[in-house]
Amino acid sequence: MHIDARNLPNNSIINGDVCIVGAGAAGLSIALDWMTGPYKIILLESGGFEFDNDVQDLINGTTSGQKYYPLRASRLAMFGGTTGHWAGMCSPMDNIDFEKRDWVPHSGWPITRQDLDYYYEKAHKTIQLGPYNYDLDYWQKQDPDLKSFQLDNDVVWTKLWQINSLRFGPTYADTIKKAKNIHLYTYATLTNILANEEVSEIREVTLKNTAGKTHTVRAKHFILAGGTIQNTRMLLASNTQAIKGLGNDNDNVGRYFMEHLEIQSAELWLYKPFLAKLYTWGNVYGELSISEKAQKEHRILNGTAGLSPLSIAKYTKPRMEIWQNADPRKSMDNVMQNWVEAAREANAELYGEDDFDSLKTEEEKLTKLLELFDKLSMTNTFEFQTRIEQAPNPDSRVTLGRDRDALGMPRVNLHWQLTELDKRSIRTIYQLIGQQMGLAGLGRVKLKEYLQDELDNTSWPDGTNAGWHHMGATRMSDDPKKGVVDANCQIHGIHNLYVAGAGCFSTSSAPNPTLTLVALSLRLSDHVKQKLLMA
């Protein structure tokens, strides 16, 4: 069932069993999981089914520290959330990501990788991926052309991704609308959370919209699924009963914000051309990863190295430079245009062809780009792009600013701050890959200039990219003094308030977060079901 909250009588009261705030990957995964049950589910979405400039402006804010994208353009405020422009790269975290690592401050989850395996498999169905199997041998049997570099797996191995750029919005809109027990309210922006006198239980939440309407939702359980930054914002802004904000008695809400560093780091020069289909964009895709043994020995973060033909990569601008338009649609257009222009330049340089002008649509140009990537998979010069976790850092954080949005809510400031461990880890990754390439007689690795000085672990080039992956800020820990939510994603001290999404990540691992955040959300969904059954 769908209701546009702009059309409700002002000050309407909405009752349900479970209230899910946010209809992105996390919120929709949970809602879909409840469709066959007896419970009334209230699903709230700040925007509508199409891009709305006024709603998009509600998520605007400021940034400081390491250069970052405009916050207004880093997320999509609409049904389906940021899956509206994601690349669809999915891979599970590794065992080591959940462990306490003495060389990584603030590392360690209260759950293990095995606790998520069942939910990873369920998440595959939600995202409509292939089998929950990331074993290289399995996929090579399906396609013998997926050849890997023959390196020492005790040092460097190939980690796999499966790719399906599923748009949750158009894919699941009709399903949600037709579900009898799911009540979807669009144009329903959360503006306040009210608890009981002891602040141990949430009683109701307040909604507003750009039509000037205010509404109230009452439920037994409330799940914040509005994205890492917006979830944080709401907890901090709901401060009438808890002066520091809900769940923030120990000043942890907003801290430990993490991103993935995705940055051009080195070049690979092979002695002979190599069919790199495995390492080229496709339904199954591989990146070189450092083994757990080597991570422990060299005391580095978990990261991977992806390959791109150097002939194209040298014409590709850093995304941090071209994703700076506050309109996410225009920033996306800028990125796509740069990729096409890079392919045009490479095509002309290598083959004396410039047939891109004959292509009329962006889809045709993108298809031509992918064809060129496939054509160049058999080459001997590549650029490495790093995909690496960020070390948890309490000073990398989200705070409330002084400015307010059109609904009267305080806007946020994101202070993104990196550490020496981040940079040292990137350098060590390529030193290890370079050593292994040399020992295997395959070729050599050349570090980018910013990594060549081993004494410099603090400076970063202007083109330092982030992955648009907002993680941490409401991190998971069994100890309330070290985190915001417990192992079941429940806010410490508030028995019916939960956080869904990548904000719960204790550490960020190397893979893109969507698969894990969906798995974690499905695990949370089961936990709330059990609590309702026991009530």
Side-chain angles (χ1 to χ4, degrees):
M1 181 184 299
H2 168 234
I3 304 98
D4 186 328
R6 296 174 298 183
N7 299 330
L8 289 173
N10 196 30
N11 295 317
S12 292
I13 296 178
I14 303 163
N15 291 290
D17 293 302
V18 178
C19 176
I20 305 169
V21 183
L28 283 175
S29 297
I30 296 172
L32 292 166
D33 194 47
W34 286 76
M35 286 198 307
T36 58
Y39 302 105
K40 182 179 179 181
I41 308 303
I42 308 300
L43 176 61
L44 306 177
E45 170 52 50
S46 181
F49 294 100
E50 303 293 336
F51 184 90
D52 184 308
N53 204 52
D54 290 337
V55 175
Q56 189 70 23
D57 192 62
L58 296 177
I59 68 172
N60 200 9
T62 58
T63 63
S64 57
Q66 182 71 30
K67 183 179 180 180
Y68 199 68
Y69 309 110
L71 292 186
R72 192 182 189 277
S74 67
R75 283 293 176 272
L76 289 176
M78 56 188 288
F79 184 83
T82 310
T83 67
H85 66 203
W86 78 313
M89 297 182 67
C90 295
S91 186
M93 290 186 175
D94 302 319
N95 290 331
I96 194 172
D97 296 317
F98 296 90
E99 297 174 1
K100 172 65 178 176
R101 292 166 278 172
D102 62 10
W103 67 96
V104 181
H106 314 291
S107 61
W109 291 56
I111 62 175
T112 67
R113 158 67 189 271
Q114 287 67 40
D115 291 323
L116 282 185
D117 273 329
Y118 169 76
Y119 297 100
Y120 271 137
E121 190 162 5
K122 285 189 68 174
H124 263 239
K125 297 175 183 177
T126 304
I127 303 174
Q128 300 181 18
L129 294 166
Y132 179 48
N133 190 323
Y134 290 84
D135 181 72
L136 179 57
D137 289 340
Y138 169 83
W139 290 104
Q140 287 176 329
K141 289 176 182 177
Q142 317 306 311
D143 184 353
D145 285 339
L146 297 177
K147 300 182 185 299
S148 59
F149 293 115
Q150 298 303 299
L151 307 175
D152 182 353
N153 285 342
D154 281 341
V155 182
V156 178
W157 62 291
T158 298
K159 183 173 178 62
L160 297 183
W161 274 253
Q162 292 187 47
I163 299 173
N164 182 17
S165 51
L166 183 76
R167 303 294 184 246
F168 275 55
T171 300
Y172 290 120
D174 285 345
T175 302
I176 292 294
K177 289 177 184 177
K178 294 176 182 177
K180 294 181 180 180
N181 68 320
I182 308 294
H183 298 252
L184 167 66
Y185 292 82
T186 53
Y187 290 93
T189 302
L190 179 66
T191 58
N192 196 27
I193 306 171
L194 291 172
N196 61 2
E197 187 174 348
E198 296 79 18
V199 195
S200 61
E201 178 184 36
I202 302 305
R203 295 288 177 82
E204 62 185 38
V205 298
T206 304
L207 316 177
K208 293 186 178 181
N209 56 45
T210 52
K213 302 285 185 68
T214 299
H215 308 299
T216 299
V217 176
R218 293 169 182 163
K220 298 172 184 175
H221 296 274
F222 296 85
I223 301 173
L224 301 181
T228 295
I229 291 179
Q230 296 308 312
N231 290 342
T232 301
R233 179 190 188 192
M234 282 315 310
L235 290 172
L236 291 174
S238 298
N239 55 15
T240 56
Q241 296 169 290
I243 192 168
K244 295 180 181 179
L246 293 175
N248 198 33
D249 291 346
N250 295 294
D251 193 28
N252 283 317
V253 175
R255 292 190 183 273
Y256 305 97
F257 174 87
M258 298 174 291
E259 252 282 12
H260 282 129
L261 283 162
E262 297 185 358
I263 182 172
Q264 288 75 16
S265 302
E267 295 174 3
L268 174 61
W269 291 73
L270 299 171
Y271 298 136
K272 297 178 182 179
F274 178 80
L275 178 60
K277 181 179 179 181
L278 173 61
Y279 303 101
T280 304
W281 192 264
N283 291 333
V284 177
Y285 164 82
E287 295 188 348
L288 296 181
S289 183
I290 306 303
S291 71
E292 294 187 6
K293 177 182 177 183
Q295 288 181 50
K296 293 175 181 177
E297 179 181 349
H298 296 276
R299 301 175 70 79
I300 60 173
L301 297 167
N302 196 358
T304 61
L307 292 175
S308 179
L310 185 59
S311 53
I312 294 178
K314 67 182 181 181
Y315 293 111
T316 304
K317 296 178 182 177
R319 298 190 304 271
M320 188 59 73
E321 294 180 7
I322 54 179
W323 191 284
Q324 287 297 324
N325 193 298
D327 187 326
R329 299 166 299 176
K330 294 178 181 178
S331 280
M332 175 62 83
D333 288 344
N334 291 340
V335 169
M336 297 300 296
Q337 182 179 353
N338 178 241
W339 284 345
V340 170
E341 288 301 318
R344 181 201 300 270
E345 294 285 350
N347 204 37
E349 180 180 307
L350 293 172
Y351 305 112
E353 302 173 355
D354 191 6
D355 52 359
F356 276 83
D357 287 335
S358 65
L359 305 177
K360 302 300 183 182
T361 67
E362 289 302 315
E363 184 177 355
E364 289 176 329
K365 292 176 181 178
L366 181 58
T367 299
K368 181 70 175 180
L369 169 63
L370 294 175
E371 288 175 356
L372 185 58
F373 263 89
D374 188 56
K375 190 176 182 180
L376 291 172
S377 67
M378 185 63 152
T379 186
N380 67 329
T381 56
F382 297 89
E383 182 173 78
F384 276 125
Q385 174 175 280
T386 303
R387 189 185 315 276
I388 191 171
E389 66 175 324
Q390 177 185 343
N393 177 6
D395 295 326
S396 184
R397 66 184 302 194
V398 177
T399 56
L400 297 181
R402 295 181 179 178
D403 292 342
R404 294 183 177 267
D405 66 19
L407 302 182
M409 294 297 295
R411 297 192 185 274
V412 299
N413 180 75
L414 168 62
H415 183 76
W416 186 33
Q417 183 170 309
L418 305 176
T419 67
E420 293 188 8
L421 180 58
D422 298 310
K423 187 171 182 180
R424 182 177 67 79
S425 295
I426 295 175
R427 181 186 298 110
T428 304
I429 285 171
Y430 290 99
Q431 289 171 338
L432 292 171
I433 292 175
Q435 290 167 6
Q436 289 302 307
M437 288 289 178
L439 288 171
L442 295 174
R444 291 289 185 265
V445 171
K446 178 184 178 182
L447 295 179
K448 295 289 188 181
E449 185 175 352
Y450 78 94
L451 292 174
Q452 292 178 9
D453 182 358
E454 295 202 10
L455 297 178
D456 178 11
N457 286 318
T458 57
S459 66
W460 295 90
D462 292 338
T464 301
N465 295 322
W468 301 284
H469 303 155
H470 300 168
M471 300 167 286
T474 53
R475 70 194 314 255
M476 182 185 291
S477 174
D478 279 337
D479 185 349
K481 294 182 179 179
K482 297 181 179 179
V484 177
V485 301
D486 65 15
N488 293 309
C489 299
Q490 176 191 311
I491 298 277
H492 284 294
I494 307 178
H495 76 84
N496 66 338
L497 181 60
Y498 313 85
V499 177
C504 297
F505 291 8
S506 304
T507 53
S508 53
S509 185
N512 312 61
T514 304
L515 177 62
T516 299
L517 75 85
V518 170
L520 202 60
S521 297
L522 292 171
R523 184 173 180 269
L524 164 60
S525 180
D526 270 3
H527 176 69
V528 177
K529 287 179 183 178
Q530 289 299 314
K531 291 187 75 169
L532 280 170
L533 285 172
M534 295 171 61

